[in-house]
Amino acid sequence: MGAFFKIRKGIVAVSHTLEDGRRQITALRAPGDCVGYLEKDGVYAFEGEALTDVEACAFDRRRFDDFVSVQPDLAAALVEALSSALKQSGMLSLVLGQLRSTERVAHFLAEISALYAERHVSLARPLTLHMGRSEIADYLGLTIETVSRSIGKLKSRGIIATVESGEVVILDDQRLREAGKVSR
Amino acid sequence: MGAFFKIRKGIVAVSHTLEDGRRQITALRAPGDCVGYLEKDGVYAFEGEALTDVEACAFDRRRFDDFVSVQPDLAAALVEALSSALKQSGMLSLVLGQLRSTERVAHFLAEISALYAERHVSLARPLTLHMGRSEIADYLGLTIETVSRSIGKLKSRGIIATVESGEVVILDDQRLREAGKVSR
DNA sequence: CGGGCGATTGAAAGACTTCAATGGGTGTGG
DNA sequence: CCACACCCATTGAAGTCTTTCAATCGCCCG
């Protein structure tokens, strides 16, 4: 309570669950990102789930805030991190509100591929998602069946392939990003 | 360019549009909020549209950042504003990803009612939305027809009513929030 | 080899969208 | 002052997409 974490290794899914059990993963956090920063009266606004083994630094919220106030650089970094998270969150809204199922899955694969490459989670292909169909579904606002069928469509279009271990191989990054409506 | 705005009066819709014309409104901003803060290389990450007449203060981005670095209080306020926006954005993802059409519309009405009351936009009822069906649709990831039908359902359930001018009367706030899955 | 879990696939149902037509309100011009 | 055009919202019907329900497959583990 009153603590937040900076991830050093691993992937964390930030989510929110309704009383009836429906869950939305609102963000994926990778090494360098912070989780648990948004709270109110000691109650976290969202839940966090480790998708892989995670190594993180824990900070005491109060002390950190005090420290920030005398460290302008740190404050700037915090603003930068929050701005970036806000941009990503807006993009997720765009995906959830406007894209069709296969577009969402394509977007997701392109996004996670870029994220992992950027944060050195695993530069190897095939790409290990670290998420089951259930997590992907909860992230994209779809059911596991629809996610499965969308992956099938991308495979049949020759854009991706899967290996027996469940990992994904991106065969055509260009077309994957097009299919996922990824701007640039 | 390089400027951002703090809203003094009016409502602004922050949005993002795909090449094929699909648009998602990712946030609604009211007096006290800032818009145009998220940019990259002088290019704004999102678009802004005034839903009403708007009065705002413009800040030069560079000078503001410099000023922030010597004003810890201002930095803290900025962090607070961004945190709040991030929470709201996560909630929108939840709405878009998990709620059905009528739930989304109910959520929207409850949210906008609370927002306007809180920011003194208009304390009067009936509630003036300041948004046409088209904007509501783009905010909720629905079509104008579905929005219209959902409003009809809420009316037939006796939760809301509309007056000829198009304004909305919330007859049962309790049930509206339940229908919109609004936590508290 | 049997059980269990996650992923895939099929078929039917449901929700939302699309296309089309109608109605109400406003503003302009005759 | 009324007719008409226009815009927005509503309503109906058909179509598309996604979900739901069910069954199957493959893999790992005991």
Side-chain angles (χ1 to χ4, degrees):
Chain A
M1 240 2 137
F4 74 95
F5 308 87
K6 175 147 181 166
I7 302 169
R8 294 169 69 84
K9 282 185 190 163
I11 307 293
V12 173
V14 178
S15 65
H16 197 95
T17 307
L18 294 173
E19 277 141 29
D20 58 19
R22 284 179 282 180
R23 180 179 75 145
Q24 178 64 41
I25 292 178
T26 56
L28 296 176
R29 296 272 128 90
D33 290 332
C34 288
V35 293
Y37 190 77
L38 300 175
E39 54 169 280
K40 186 182 173 181
D41 310 325
V43 178
Y44 294 105
F46 298 95
E47 303 142 34
E49 176 193 1
L51 298 178
T52 63
D53 284 348
V54 168
E55 202 177 291
C57 293
F59 293 87
D60 180 81
R61 176 63 190 248
R62 211 174 316 271
R63 284 188 211 167
F64 179 78
D65 283 347
D66 291 347
F67 191 52
V68 166
S69 66
V70 295
Q71 284 286 97
D73 289 0
L74 188 54
L78 183 55
V79 166
E80 179 58 35
L82 285 168
S83 296
S84 168
L86 190 50
K87 256 183 273 190
Q88 284 176 251
S89 187
M91 288 304 171
L92 180 59
S93 293
L94 177 66
V95 168
L96 295 176
Q98 302 299 326
L99 301 193
R100 326 211 131 290
S101 63
T102 305
E103 293 172 332
R104 291 191 211 182
V105 171
H107 185 98
F108 164 74
L109 292 173
E111 178 188 42
I112 209 164
S113 164
L115 178 71
Y116 286 0
E118 189 181 297
R119 306 299 182 82
H120 326 100
V121 174
S122 69
L123 9 96
R125 28 206 65 213
L127 179 66
T128 304
L129 299 180
H130 300 302
M131 296 170 76
R133 295 292 178 269
S134 172
E135 276 90 32
I136 300 175
D138 284 353
Y139 182 53
L140 297 177
L142 301 170
T143 60
I144 58 177
E145 293 94 333
T146 301
V147 170
S148 187
R149 284 185 249 265
S150 292
I151 289 178
K153 281 179 194 167
L154 293 173
K155 284 205 283 192
S156 70
R157 286 206 250 158
I159 296 177
I160 63 169
T162 53
V163 269
E164 72 285 345
S165 52
E167 291 153 318
V168 173
V169 181
I170 297 174
L171 300 173
D172 191 335
D173 204 64
Q174 171 78 38
R175 285 207 295 150
L176 181 65
R177 287 203 301 268
E178 280 168 21
K181 310 286 169 181
V182 181
S183 333
R184 65 212 108 46
Chain B
M1 242 357 141
F4 74 95
F5 308 87
K6 174 146 181 167
I7 303 170
R8 294 168 68 84
K9 281 186 191 163
I11 307 292
V12 174
V14 178
S15 64
H16 197 94
T17 306
L18 294 174
E19 277 141 29
D20 58 19
R22 284 179 282 181
R23 178 179 75 145
Q24 177 65 41
I25 292 178
T26 57
L28 296 176
R29 297 272 127 91
D33 290 331
C34 288
V35 293
Y37 190 76
L38 299 174
E39 52 169 280
K40 185 183 174 181
D41 309 325
V43 178
Y44 294 105
F46 298 94
E47 303 142 35
E49 176 194 1
L51 298 178
T52 63
D53 284 348
V54 168
E55 202 176 292
C57 294
F59 292 89
D60 180 80
R61 176 63 190 248
R62 211 175 317 272
R63 283 186 210 168
F64 180 78
D65 283 346
D66 292 347
F67 191 52
V68 166
S69 65
V70 295
Q71 283 288 95
D73 289 0
L74 188 54
L78 183 54
V79 167
E80 179 58 35
L82 286 168
S83 295
S84 169
L86 190 50
K87 256 183 274 190
Q88 283 177 251
S89 187
M91 287 304 171
L92 179 59
S93 293
L94 177 66
V95 168
L96 296 175
Q98 303 299 326
L99 301 192
R100 325 210 132 286
S101 63
T102 305
E103 293 172 332
R104 291 190 211 182
V105 171
H107 185 97
F108 164 74
L109 292 172
E111 177 189 42
I112 210 164
S113 164
L115 179 71
Y116 286 0
E118 188 182 298
R119 306 298 184 82
H120 330 100
V121 173
S122 70
L123 9 96
R125 20 212 70 213
L127 178 66
T128 304
L129 298 181
H130 300 301
M131 296 169 76
R133 295 290 179 269
S134 172
E135 276 90 33
I136 300 174
D138 284 352
Y139 182 52
L140 297 177
L142 300 169
T143 61
I144 57 176
E145 292 94 334
T146 301
V147 170
S148 187
R149 284 185 249 265
S150 291
I151 289 177
K153 280 179 195 168
L154 292 173
K155 282 205 283 192
S156 70
R157 285 205 250 157
I159 296 177
I160 64 169
T162 55
V163 269
E164 72 285 346
S165 53
E167 291 153 319
V168 173
V169 181
I170 296 175
L171 301 173
D172 190 335
D173 204 64
Q174 171 78 37
R175 286 207 295 149
L176 182 65
R177 287 204 301 271
E178 279 168 20
K181 310 286 169 183
V182 180
S183 334
R184 63 216 118 45

